mmCIF file of all heavy atoms in Angstrom:
data_model
loop_
_atom_site.group_PDB
_atom_site.id
_atom_site.type_symbol
_atom_site.label_atom_id
_atom_site.label_comp_id
_atom_site.label_asym_id
_atom_site.label_seq_id
_atom_site.Cartn_x
_atom_site.Cartn_y
_atom_site.Cartn_z
ATOM 1 N N ALA A 158 87.986 85.968 87.290
ATOM 2 C CA ALA A 158 89.450 85.872 87.265
ATOM 3 C C ALA A 158 89.882 84.410 87.367
ATOM 4 O O ALA A 158 90.825 83.981 86.703
ATOM 5 C CB ALA A 158 90.057 86.684 88.403
ATOM 6 N N LEU A 159 89.170 83.636 88.182
ATOM 7 C CA LEU A 159 89.469 82.202 88.310
ATOM 8 C C LEU A 159 89.225 81.470 86.999
ATOM 9 O O LEU A 159 90.070 80.706 86.537
ATOM 10 C CB LEU A 159 88.577 81.594 89.393
ATOM 11 C CG LEU A 159 89.181 81.403 90.767
ATOM 12 C CD1 LEU A 159 88.108 81.000 91.747
ATOM 13 C CD2 LEU A 159 90.257 80.338 90.701
ATOM 14 N N ALA A 160 88.048 81.745 86.398
ATOM 15 C CA ALA A 160 87.705 81.076 85.140
ATOM 16 C C ALA A 160 88.729 81.422 84.071
ATOM 17 O O ALA A 160 89.156 80.570 83.289
ATOM 18 C CB ALA A 160 86.308 81.497 84.682
ATOM 19 N N ARG A 161 89.162 82.696 84.050
ATOM 20 C CA ARG A 161 90.122 83.137 83.043
ATOM 21 C C ARG A 161 91.459 82.412 83.209
ATOM 22 O O ARG A 161 92.134 82.089 82.232
ATOM 23 C CB ARG A 161 90.318 84.649 83.162
ATOM 24 C CG ARG A 161 91.084 85.238 82.009
ATOM 25 C CD ARG A 161 91.225 86.733 82.153
ATOM 26 N NE ARG A 161 92.040 87.092 83.301
ATOM 27 C CZ ARG A 161 92.408 88.343 83.586
ATOM 28 N NH1 ARG A 161 91.998 89.332 82.816
ATOM 29 N NH2 ARG A 161 93.140 88.593 84.645
ATOM 30 N N ALA A 162 91.842 82.174 84.482
ATOM 31 C CA ALA A 162 93.127 81.507 84.728
ATOM 32 C C ALA A 162 93.034 80.003 84.455
ATOM 33 O O ALA A 162 94.025 79.373 84.119
ATOM 34 C CB ALA A 162 93.579 81.751 86.163
ATOM 35 N N LEU A 163 91.826 79.421 84.592
ATOM 36 C CA LEU A 163 91.693 77.969 84.451
ATOM 37 C C LEU A 163 91.465 77.540 83.007
ATOM 38 O O LEU A 163 91.652 76.381 82.668
ATOM 39 C CB LEU A 163 90.535 77.461 85.316
ATOM 40 C CG LEU A 163 90.725 77.589 86.829
ATOM 41 C CD1 LEU A 163 89.434 77.258 87.554
ATOM 42 C CD2 LEU A 163 91.847 76.677 87.290
ATOM 43 N N ILE A 164 91.067 78.499 82.137
ATOM 44 C CA ILE A 164 90.595 78.141 80.800
ATOM 45 C C ILE A 164 91.689 77.498 79.951
ATOM 46 O O ILE A 164 91.427 76.635 79.139
ATOM 47 C CB ILE A 164 90.010 79.382 80.087
ATOM 48 C CG1 ILE A 164 89.223 78.978 78.847
ATOM 49 C CG2 ILE A 164 91.099 80.368 79.688
ATOM 50 C CD1 ILE A 164 87.790 78.764 79.114
ATOM 51 N N ASN A 165 92.956 77.901 80.165
ATOM 52 C CA ASN A 165 94.043 77.324 79.372
ATOM 53 C C ASN A 165 94.461 75.952 79.878
ATOM 54 O O ASN A 165 95.408 75.380 79.367
ATOM 55 C CB ASN A 165 95.262 78.258 79.400
ATOM 56 C CG ASN A 165 95.081 79.452 78.483
ATOM 57 O OD1 ASN A 165 94.164 79.468 77.664
ATOM 58 N ND2 ASN A 165 95.938 80.447 78.627
ATOM 59 N N ARG A 166 93.764 75.457 80.896
ATOM 60 C CA ARG A 166 94.084 74.177 81.534
ATOM 61 C C ARG A 166 95.557 74.066 81.884
ATOM 62 O O ARG A 166 96.263 73.145 81.436
ATOM 63 C CB ARG A 166 93.691 73.022 80.618
ATOM 64 C CG ARG A 166 92.193 72.974 80.401
ATOM 65 C CD ARG A 166 91.841 71.908 79.402
ATOM 66 N NE ARG A 166 90.427 71.989 79.055
ATOM 67 C CZ ARG A 166 89.919 71.523 77.923
ATOM 68 N NH1 ARG A 166 90.695 70.932 77.040
ATOM 69 N NH2 ARG A 166 88.632 71.615 77.684
ATOM 70 N N PRO A 167 96.063 75.018 82.658
ATOM 71 C CA PRO A 167 97.485 74.973 83.023
ATOM 72 C C PRO A 167 97.717 73.892 84.075
ATOM 73 O O PRO A 167 96.805 73.582 84.849
ATOM 74 C CB PRO A 167 97.735 76.355 83.630
ATOM 75 C CG PRO A 167 96.414 76.722 84.216
ATOM 76 C CD PRO A 167 95.368 76.104 83.349
ATOM 77 N N PRO A 168 98.905 73.276 84.093
ATOM 78 C CA PRO A 168 99.191 72.311 85.160
ATOM 79 C C PRO A 168 99.301 72.973 86.528
ATOM 80 O O PRO A 168 99.070 72.328 87.541
ATOM 81 C CB PRO A 168 100.526 71.699 84.745
ATOM 82 C CG PRO A 168 101.116 72.650 83.774
ATOM 83 C CD PRO A 168 99.993 73.384 83.131
ATOM 84 N N VAL A 169 99.659 74.266 86.547
ATOM 85 C CA VAL A 169 99.827 74.966 87.814
ATOM 86 C C VAL A 169 99.044 76.281 87.776
ATOM 87 O O VAL A 169 99.140 77.039 86.813
ATOM 88 C CB VAL A 169 101.322 75.292 88.080
ATOM 89 C CG1 VAL A 169 101.478 75.980 89.433
ATOM 90 C CG2 VAL A 169 102.161 74.043 88.021
ATOM 91 N N VAL A 170 98.234 76.526 88.800
ATOM 92 C CA VAL A 170 97.526 77.798 88.923
ATOM 93 C C VAL A 170 98.119 78.548 90.104
ATOM 94 O O VAL A 170 98.260 78.000 91.199
ATOM 95 C CB VAL A 170 96.017 77.577 89.154
ATOM 96 C CG1 VAL A 170 95.300 78.912 89.323
ATOM 97 C CG2 VAL A 170 95.417 76.811 87.995
ATOM 98 N N LEU A 171 98.511 79.803 89.877
ATOM 99 C CA LEU A 171 99.083 80.625 90.930
ATOM 100 C C LEU A 171 98.015 81.598 91.424
ATOM 101 O O LEU A 171 97.350 82.247 90.625
ATOM 102 C CB LEU A 171 100.290 81.408 90.402
ATOM 103 C CG LEU A 171 101.357 80.580 89.687
ATOM 104 C CD1 LEU A 171 102.430 81.496 89.098
ATOM 105 C CD2 LEU A 171 101.996 79.597 90.643
ATOM 106 N N LEU A 172 97.843 81.692 92.731
ATOM 107 C CA LEU A 172 96.823 82.586 93.286
ATOM 108 C C LEU A 172 97.498 83.566 94.244
ATOM 109 O O LEU A 172 98.036 83.162 95.267
ATOM 110 C CB LEU A 172 95.751 81.773 94.020
ATOM 111 C CG LEU A 172 95.060 80.693 93.197
ATOM 112 C CD1 LEU A 172 95.315 79.332 93.790
ATOM 113 C CD2 LEU A 172 93.581 80.956 93.078
ATOM 114 N N ASP A 173 97.465 84.847 93.884
ATOM 115 C CA ASP A 173 98.131 85.867 94.690
ATOM 116 C C ASP A 173 97.105 86.554 95.593
ATOM 117 O O ASP A 173 96.395 87.437 95.136
ATOM 118 C CB ASP A 173 98.814 86.889 93.771
ATOM 119 C CG ASP A 173 99.612 87.909 94.549
ATOM 120 O OD1 ASP A 173 99.739 87.759 95.780
ATOM 121 O OD2 ASP A 173 100.100 88.854 93.926
ATOM 122 N N GLU A 174 97.016 86.143 96.828
ATOM 123 C CA GLU A 174 96.042 86.657 97.801
ATOM 124 C C GLU A 174 94.678 86.883 97.133
ATOM 125 O O GLU A 174 94.161 87.998 97.146
ATOM 126 C CB GLU A 174 96.528 87.986 98.392
ATOM 127 C CG GLU A 174 97.899 87.850 98.994
ATOM 128 C CD GLU A 174 98.031 88.484 100.350
ATOM 129 O OE1 GLU A 174 96.992 88.878 100.921
ATOM 130 O OE2 GLU A 174 99.167 88.565 100.836
ATOM 131 N N PRO A 175 94.102 85.837 96.534
ATOM 132 C CA PRO A 175 92.918 86.058 95.696
ATOM 133 C C PRO A 175 91.702 86.505 96.499
ATOM 134 O O PRO A 175 90.796 87.104 95.948
ATOM 135 C CB PRO A 175 92.677 84.686 95.066
ATOM 136 C CG PRO A 175 93.285 83.723 96.020
ATOM 137 C CD PRO A 175 94.448 84.418 96.641
ATOM 138 N N LEU A 176 91.685 86.219 97.792
ATOM 139 C CA LEU A 176 90.480 86.522 98.563
ATOM 140 C C LEU A 176 90.682 87.736 99.465
ATOM 141 O O LEU A 176 89.803 88.082 100.244
ATOM 142 C CB LEU A 176 90.081 85.304 99.408
ATOM 143 C CG LEU A 176 90.037 83.981 98.638
ATOM 144 C CD1 LEU A 176 89.667 82.843 99.556
ATOM 145 C CD2 LEU A 176 89.049 84.057 97.491
ATOM 146 N N GLY A 177 91.833 88.387 99.320
ATOM 147 C CA GLY A 177 92.174 89.477 100.230
ATOM 148 C C GLY A 177 91.191 90.633 100.226
ATOM 149 O O GLY A 177 90.993 91.286 101.245
ATOM 150 N N ALA A 178 90.558 90.897 99.067
ATOM 151 C CA ALA A 178 89.713 92.085 98.958
ATOM 152 C C ALA A 178 88.251 91.794 99.307
ATOM 153 O O ALA A 178 87.417 92.683 99.223
ATOM 154 C CB ALA A 178 89.809 92.651 97.540
#
Side-chain angles (χ1 to χ4, degrees):
Chain A
L159 261 171
R161 191 179 66 174
L163 294 171
I164 193 92
N165 283 347
R166 295 175 188 156
V169 182
V170 178
L171 308 175
L172 304 118
D173 185 6
E174 305 226 10
L176 311 179

